[in-house]
């Protein structure tokens, strides 16, 4: 009883902070935890029932791992897995270097007004939907009126049907992804850099350290724990692709499937064409499970190297 009273007193004393996090907590429960009960559909042959969703789940036949077998027994299994992992590895590595680099550059600007303008300009693409971005890209890559083909015609070169040439799209997708995300990714690192005690830099300048030496010996080591934590979290989503990037930007062009088809787009097309909810749920469960395992493994490796920088 005494522990219960103490717990109630702690809740009352921290009621303001609890109210502040309540909207996020409710969103987390509704959007992340409640849907987990639907994972049972990954092991069932889902069929709609007149009595509603829960009756449909209850009356659907158990099929075990049949949905997983169907998902990965197709000829496209290797392609979609390869594309998903390859792109995410590039996004994680390149995004890390660009985000940290941009944050360091912004922190070194002496004119704060210019720094805010640059930061706002780089952050703006993050708030654009992929549908809008796809039309921007189309303005460059359109066969008839695209900017790229107009430039090629100026040099008496033949226009390129960009949406039918898969060789160019790995570079396009990587560039577009970083253009859209690097501004937002640099915010966290910039906040960490701004929070570094300036006396470290003053002492380094007295010792004659150059700007590059200050960055390499002070800035990067001080933000390294944050870099490790964010990298671990990003590795957990290595089997999940940004649906809008791989579906909207290439405009669902069939000739580009070899380099744009990832697990998310493959499941979406399968769901739209076959209506196989069980297979779609199996893919989502597979992605979440692999991501969870990768987070545990990565965190285990970090703990072995430097326990203080581990996520948990």
């Amino acid at each position: 009883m005494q522990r219960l009273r103490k717990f109630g007193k702690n809740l009352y004393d921290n009621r303001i902070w609890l109210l502040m996090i309540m909207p996020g907590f409710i969103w987390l429960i509704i959007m992340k935890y409640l849907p987990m009960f639907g994972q049972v559909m990954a092991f069932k042959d889902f069929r709609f029932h007149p009595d509603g969703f829960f009756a449909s789940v209850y009356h659907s036949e158990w099929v075990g791992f049949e949905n997983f077998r169907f998902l990965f027994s197709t000829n496209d299994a290797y392609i979609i897995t390869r594309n998903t992992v390859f792109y995410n590895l590039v996004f994680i590595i390149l995004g890390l270097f660009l985000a940290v680099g941009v944050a360091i550059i912004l922190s070194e600007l002496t004119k704060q007004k210019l720094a805010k303008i640059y930061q706002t300009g780089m952050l703006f693409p993050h708030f654009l939907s992929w549908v809008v971005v796809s039309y921007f890209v189309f303005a460059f890559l359109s066969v008839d009126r695209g900017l790229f083909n107009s430039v090629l015609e100026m040099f008496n070169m033949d226009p390129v049907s960009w949406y039918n040439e898969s060789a160019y799209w790995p570079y396009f997708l990587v560039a577009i992804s970083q253009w859209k995300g690097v501004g937002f990714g640099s915010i966290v690192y910039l906040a960490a850099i701004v929070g570094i005690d300036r006396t470290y830099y003053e002492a380094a300048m007295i010792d004659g350290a150059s700007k590059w030496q200050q960055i390499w010996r002070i800035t990067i080591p001080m933000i390294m724990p944050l870099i490790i934590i964010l990298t671990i979290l990003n590795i957990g989503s290595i089997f999940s692709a940004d649906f809008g990037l791989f579906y909207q930007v290439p405009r669902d062009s069939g000739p580009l499937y070899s380099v744009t088809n990832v697990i998310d787009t493959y499941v979406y097309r399968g769901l739209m064409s076959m209506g196989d909810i069980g297979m779609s749920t199996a893919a989502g469960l597979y992605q979440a499970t692999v991501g969870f395992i990768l987070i545990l493994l990565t965190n285990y490796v970090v703990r072995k190297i430097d326990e203080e920088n581990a996520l948990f």
Side-chain angles (χ1 to χ4, degrees):
M1 181 62 69
Q2 185 176 0
R3 291 183 178 180
L4 185 61
R5 290 178 179 176
K6 185 177 181 181
F7 177 73
K9 186 177 183 302
N10 287 334
L11 291 180
Y12 180 80
D13 292 341
N14 297 283
R15 60 189 183 278
I16 302 299
W17 310 113
L18 293 174
L19 287 174
M20 291 176 64
I21 67 172
M22 188 61 67
F25 177 75
I26 294 174
W27 176 89
L28 186 67
I29 295 296
I30 295 176
M31 302 301 293
K32 297 298 182 180
Y33 284 94
L34 289 181
M36 291 179 67
F37 294 102
Q39 298 297 331
V40 69
M41 291 188 296
F43 307 97
K44 287 195 167 193
D45 183 17
F46 185 83
R47 292 291 183 269
F48 288 102
H49 193 276
D51 293 336
F53 172 76
F54 292 103
S56 300
V57 175
Y58 179 77
H59 291 287
S60 295
E61 179 185 358
W62 286 95
V63 294
F65 291 95
E66 186 67 21
N67 289 322
F68 295 90
R69 186 195 66 80
F70 176 77
L71 175 65
F72 293 104
S73 63
T74 62
N75 296 328
D76 297 325
Y78 168 74
I79 294 176
I80 61 176
T81 304
R82 178 202 64 189
N83 289 344
T84 305
V85 174
F86 170 76
Y87 281 118
N88 280 323
L89 281 175
V90 175
F91 293 162
I92 291 172
I93 297 172
L94 186 59
L96 171 63
F97 282 101
L98 290 178
V100 173
V102 169
I104 292 175
I105 293 172
L106 290 176
S107 67
E108 295 295 332
L109 293 177
T110 56
K111 295 183 178 180
Q112 292 301 314
K113 289 186 178 180
L114 283 178
K116 291 180 180 180
I117 293 175
Y118 295 150
Q119 186 177 354
T120 302
M122 287 185 293
L123 183 62
F124 177 73
H126 172 76
F127 298 101
L128 297 176
S129 71
W130 282 116
V131 177
V132 176
V133 173
S134 69
Y135 281 101
F136 286 165
V137 175
F138 184 73
F140 285 88
L141 304 181
S142 174
V143 177
D144 299 328
R145 300 180 181 178
L147 178 61
F148 285 0
N149 280 341
S150 299
V151 173
L152 292 177
E153 290 178 356
M154 290 174 57
F155 292 95
N156 296 321
M157 300 174 65
D158 295 331
V160 178
S161 181
W162 301 103
Y163 288 94
N164 292 319
E165 298 290 340
S166 62
Y168 304 102
W169 277 89
Y171 306 101
F172 288 158
L173 293 175
V174 171
I176 294 168
S177 173
Q178 298 310 306
W179 167 78
K180 192 173 187 293
V182 68
F184 183 81
S186 65
I187 290 178
V188 179
Y189 295 113
L190 179 60
I193 293 172
V194 172
I196 299 174
D197 192 345
R198 307 311 298 180
T199 57
Y200 291 118
Y201 296 99
E202 293 173 0
M205 286 187 290
I206 293 175
D207 291 338
S210 64
K211 185 63 66 176
W212 169 249
Q213 289 174 325
Q214 294 175 35
I215 293 172
W216 186 250
R217 300 294 183 181
I218 300 176
T219 305
I220 294 180
M222 293 294 288
I223 66 174
M224 186 57 67
L226 178 62
I227 292 175
I228 293 174
I229 290 174
L230 294 181
T231 302
I232 292 175
L233 296 176
N234 288 331
I235 290 176
S237 60
I238 200 170
F239 268 74
S240 299
D242 194 328
F243 177 82
L245 172 64
F246 293 99
Y247 185 83
Q248 297 289 350
V249 175
R251 306 180 71 85
D252 196 24
S253 177
L256 304 180
Y257 281 177
S258 61
V259 295
T260 62
N261 203 12
V262 292
I263 295 177
D264 298 77
T265 57
Y266 179 80
V267 170
Y268 174 78
R269 294 185 184 104
L271 181 62
M272 295 299 292
S273 61
M274 296 183 295
D276 195 339
I277 296 179
M279 189 262 289
S280 302
T281 308
L285 180 59
Y286 165 73
Q287 290 175 304
T289 303
V290 173
F292 177 69
I293 294 173
L294 287 174
I295 286 180
L296 294 179
L297 291 177
T298 307
N299 187 76
Y300 175 78
V301 173
V302 174
R303 282 177 62 88
K304 289 295 183 181
I305 300 174
D306 187 355
E307 187 174 356
E308 293 184 356
N309 288 330
L311 182 61
F312 51 86

